[in-house]
Amino acid sequence: MPKKRAHVLVALVVLCGFLCGSPAAGAPPAAAADSLWFDGSPLTVVDGRFVDAHGREVVLRGYNVSGETKLEEHGGLPFASVADARRSAAALRALGGGNAVRFLLSWAHAEPERGRVDTAYLAAVTDQMRAFLDTGIRVYPDFHQDLYSRHLFDPDSWYTGDGAPKWAVDAGDYPDESCGICLFWGQNITQNEAVMRATHDFWHNAHGVQDAFLATAEKTMAYVEQHLTDEQFAGVVGFDPYNEPHAGTYDPGQGSRAWERDVLWPFYERFRARMDAAGWQDKPAFVEPNLFWNANLDFQRQEGGLLDSGKLGPRYVFNTHFYDQKAISGVFMWGKAKDGQYTGDFGTVRDRAAATGTAAMVSEFGHPLSGTVSDKAPTVLKAMYQALDSRLPGSAWWTRPTASGPVLSATQWQWDLYNGRHREAMNGNPDKILTAGDAWNDEDLSAVRLDGTGTVTLRQDVRLLDRLYPAATAGTTLAFTYEDRSRDGSTTLTWNPVPASLPNVARLVGSGQYGVLLWRSDGGPAPTELHLPAAFPPATTTVVSDLGTLHGLPAYTASAPVAAAPEPGATGSRRLLLTARDTGVRHYALVTNGATAPATSLLQAARAELDAWAALS
């Protein structure tokens, strides 16, 4: 079907879903209800938030797919096959609750010879990308690099890299690599002379390598645009031009802030022009500041955050990473993460995005799942998700919820089906076949693996990963929180208990999970949508809202203010739909899987408490 014709057809189906109804029950056809969220229209950036065609504020949550791109065993592809990509996409939606992925690409494989783009590679990555788009998962590609290139490293090196092709390394005649006494691979960024010089050369376009990269990026984007249907391409949110940028070495008298202003930002403007030329005019560039700008180790932190780039506007997204280097070090943070541990760090992300006048994305965050510091992972990840949901600790949320700030979009590192079963010859060395973890510099951060039967299995607590979150808010989100009750070993982590001032709400929630959304309506026709984790089956989920209070959610109809519907992709995942047909009115909804068969009197009492609470919030 021609791309434009297909796009129009989907739009008509959605419109009919709102206006026509089904002959049997007055409800939209199943296909239209299924497409309410993912409707064949692109996202845009408006007033510092992602917005869909219905004007709804969209939150993107998901994972990076995948670190497999950093390896050679499957030719720089995220997956060994399209079938694996489809299996990964279905599991990511059904088990991990994701609606978006950061999709890794390899410059080395896209341009193996200078000036020659490998269309076979582009076809393969586009086919794998399509597997996610067809499951209703939005995608933003990323030309990934770490330590510039694996071709800088010797076969017997302790470390490896990824990114630039061999010809780009050969052009520089760099010294033999060495990091000295380095306990972590990231130390190579500032201690390995070969990495530092090669990185510096890229930013200064030595040997024309940056020109070559930009030309390949344009050809890659043009290929993707031309080989996806309109509906599929609409699901491509934007492009991340360069992973974790750093100067390598600063020029004399130059610091991090000046480097961002004078070197990094002009590169992003050049990349933006390539996006426009490739047919990506309406999609933002997900631009990252100096990777050390928000490091939580003082001796590592560098000034930056695109402070001198002015208002970025809708053509750019402020895109950053966050890892707790104190926790990862095993030295600078004793014990576990606690309630509110990262609210300040993620609050800084919100503030920088607001200052630049655009939406924020935390495109990487995570923590090692094996090794000496893996015991911190359950609390570190819970605290990170808590800070993505709200800039308040749980202890303060109920008393001043509207100080929460926007809910941040984010993609966790990472979602790698092959965790623990790789066959990677490190730096091409047949005597160093890596199979453990992520098979890259001793990392082990994948949220999933394949079990002995080949079934996709979570490696982290499902309560932590499959989360309630506002995927699309019809209006403006004023506050959101989610108490996931995830576990640290045998300990249930409850950081946001319902306060004693709401005793009936506390009884209703009990020991169950719960979330609360407070929003102001905009009068649009589409409902507010929250992802329903698998632990919230519609038949036993309770919603207490000024729009309606009920235990057990009916199937969606155009007239139902509170209902459930499938999420796109036929993976069995579901969403809660809340329809407010007014404008400028403050609404709330508590969603819980706590009490079973609660009495009507308890539901009414809980609603009375929440009515009073919301009126004062």
Side-chain angles (χ1 to χ4, degrees):
M1 179 180 292
K3 293 176 71 175
K4 301 303 178 186
R5 179 184 170 197
H7 184 80
V8 171
L9 177 60
V10 170
L12 290 173
V13 169
V14 173
L15 181 62
C16 185
F18 285 119
L19 301 180
C20 304
S22 71
D34 188 62
S35 66
L36 280 172
W37 181 83
F38 192 79
D39 63 358
S41 62
L43 296 185
T44 55
V45 177
V46 179
D47 295 332
R49 56 186 185 148
F50 293 109
V51 172
D52 69 9
H54 306 297
R56 296 181 299 179
E57 178 181 292
V58 169
V59 172
L60 302 172
R61 287 288 176 88
Y63 305 84
N64 284 258
V65 294
S66 120
E68 175 68 24
T69 301
K70 297 158 71 166
L71 308 181
E72 289 297 304
E73 61 183 358
H74 293 136
L77 293 170
F79 302 96
S81 65
V82 173
D84 278 1
R86 291 188 184 122
R87 176 165 50 164
S88 181
L92 190 146
R93 173 72 97 176
L95 298 179
N99 65 10
V101 294
R102 182 174 182 241
F103 192 94
L104 274 60
L105 304 176
S106 167
W107 175 23
H109 290 87
E111 190 185 11
E113 298 173 13
R114 185 165 195 153
R116 181 181 72 83
V117 172
D118 187 344
T119 55
Y121 176 77
L122 298 187
V125 295
T126 303
D127 284 345
Q128 294 186 7
M129 193 183 302
R130 190 179 291 113
F132 288 84
L133 295 166
D134 289 346
T135 311
I137 295 172
R138 295 192 185 265
V139 170
Y140 63 108
D142 153 49
F143 260 125
H144 207 79
Q145 73 80 37
D146 297 281
L147 309 183
Y148 191 68
S149 173
R150 69 182 288 268
H151 299 288
L152 285 170
F153 293 84
D154 299 324
D156 60 350
S157 176
W158 289 3
Y159 300 105
T160 190
D162 68 282
K166 185 177 185 300
W167 63 259
V169 172
D170 291 345
D173 190 26
Y174 300 112
D176 192 43
E177 61 85 17
S178 174
C179 193
I181 302 174
C182 290
L183 300 179
F184 305 100
W185 71 260
Q187 291 176 263
N188 284 272
I189 297 169
T190 55
Q191 293 178 224
N192 189 320
E193 186 68 21
V195 173
M196 294 161 63
R197 284 179 53 182
T199 303
H200 180 273
D201 278 359
F202 176 85
W203 294 117
H204 289 76
N205 199 27
H207 320 293
V209 292
Q210 188 181 119
D211 288 340
F213 171 82
L214 290 169
T216 297
E218 180 181 338
K219 292 173 184 176
T220 299
M221 288 185 283
Y223 187 97
V224 170
E225 191 274 337
Q226 292 162 11
H227 289 82
L228 295 176
T229 67
D230 272 5
E231 294 74 47
Q232 291 164 344
F233 190 56
V236 178
V237 184
F239 206 108
D240 186 341
Y242 198 91
N243 179 69
E244 296 183 350
H246 186 262
T249 58
Y250 295 117
D251 295 331
Q254 183 185 62
S256 173
R257 182 168 177 174
W259 175 78
E260 281 194 351
R261 181 191 64 224
D262 300 334
V263 178
L264 181 62
W265 185 252
F267 165 77
Y268 285 146
E269 291 182 315
R270 296 184 73 196
F271 195 96
R272 175 70 264 180
R274 298 287 185 154
M275 292 179 69
D276 294 348
W280 293 53
Q281 301 94 324
D282 298 328
K283 299 181 187 297
F286 283 61
V287 293
E288 301 184 34
N290 169 14
L291 82 145
F292 292 128
W293 82 278
N294 64 339
N296 68 338
L297 287 173
D298 289 340
F299 65 80
Q300 191 182 58
R301 185 180 292 115
Q302 299 177 13
E303 189 177 22
L306 304 179
L307 289 166
D308 299 306
S309 301
K311 294 291 185 181
L312 303 186
R315 287 166 56 79
Y316 298 92
V317 167
F318 184 79
N319 173 25
T320 188
H321 298 175
F322 183 79
Y323 293 93
D324 185 348
Q325 301 298 335
K326 293 180 181 178
I328 292 173
S329 73
V331 175
F332 297 101
M333 185 183 109
W334 296 101
K336 308 292 184 71
K338 299 177 176 61
D339 176 31
Q341 185 88 21
Y342 305 118
T343 53
D345 297 297
F346 286 77
T348 299
V349 174
R350 289 177 171 89
D351 292 342
R352 286 302 305 132
T356 57
T358 190
M361 168 63 76
V362 182
S363 57
E364 282 190 32
F365 66 100
H367 190 83
L369 300 182
S370 64
T372 58
V373 299
S374 60
D375 65 310
K376 301 179 189 294
T379 58
V380 165
L381 267 296
K382 179 181 173 74
M384 288 181 178
Y385 274 111
Q386 179 194 53
L388 290 168
D389 289 344
S390 170
R391 68 189 304 157
L392 296 173
S395 60
W397 193 87
W398 284 96
T399 56
R400 49 192 185 99
T402 54
S404 286
V407 181
L408 290 176
S409 293
T411 48
Q412 181 178 331
W413 185 272
Q414 65 157 324
W415 190 271
D416 176 17
L417 293 186
Y418 314 113
N419 176 271
R421 52 169 66 197
H422 292 279
R423 294 287 300 173
E424 173 72 0
M426 184 177 179
N427 297 319
N429 189 337
D431 296 324
K432 294 183 71 174
I433 303 298
L434 305 184
T435 60
D438 300 337
W440 194 87
N441 285 344
D442 294 325
E443 287 199 336
D444 185 14
L445 287 88
S446 177
V448 293
R449 64 178 179 86
L450 297 176
D451 67 14
T453 67
T455 302
V456 182
T457 305
L458 293 180
R459 301 178 64 227
Q460 296 175 269
D461 190 345
V462 66
R463 303 170 191 85
L464 173 74
L465 298 181
D466 190 13
R467 306 178 64 79
L468 189 81
Y469 61 90
T473 300
T476 303
T477 300
L478 303 176
F480 176 72
T481 191
Y482 180 53
E483 179 50 77
D484 57 44
R485 312 274 196 188
S486 57
R487 276 32 168 198
D488 179 12
S490 61
T491 301
T492 299
L493 302 172
T494 301
W495 291 352
N496 191 354
V498 178
S501 58
L502 303 172
N504 291 294
V505 174
R507 283 180 56 204
L508 184 66
V509 168
S511 59
Q513 299 163 292
Y514 79 88
V516 180
L517 175 67
L518 193 65
W519 80 102
R520 190 177 303 280
S521 61
D522 67 354
T528 290
E529 301 187 16
L530 291 91
H531 168 69
L532 279 178
F536 286 70
T540 56
T541 293
T542 299
V543 174
V544 179
S545 171
D546 63 300
L547 298 175
T549 297
L550 64 163
H551 175 73
L553 304 177
Y556 174 77
T557 67
S559 60
V562 181
E567 286 183 315
T571 62
S573 59
R574 305 190 71 83
R575 55 205 164 139
L576 171 67
L577 306 180
L578 303 168
T579 303
R581 305 193 182 282
D582 45 35
T583 301
V585 177
R586 181 179 295 194
H587 297 282
Y588 73 85
L590 167 81
V591 188
T592 182
N593 59 4
T596 58
T600 301
S601 57
L602 178 58
L603 293 174
Q604 292 173 340
R607 176 166 176 172
E609 289 177 352
L610 289 169
D611 281 344
W613 168 81
L616 296 174
S617 297

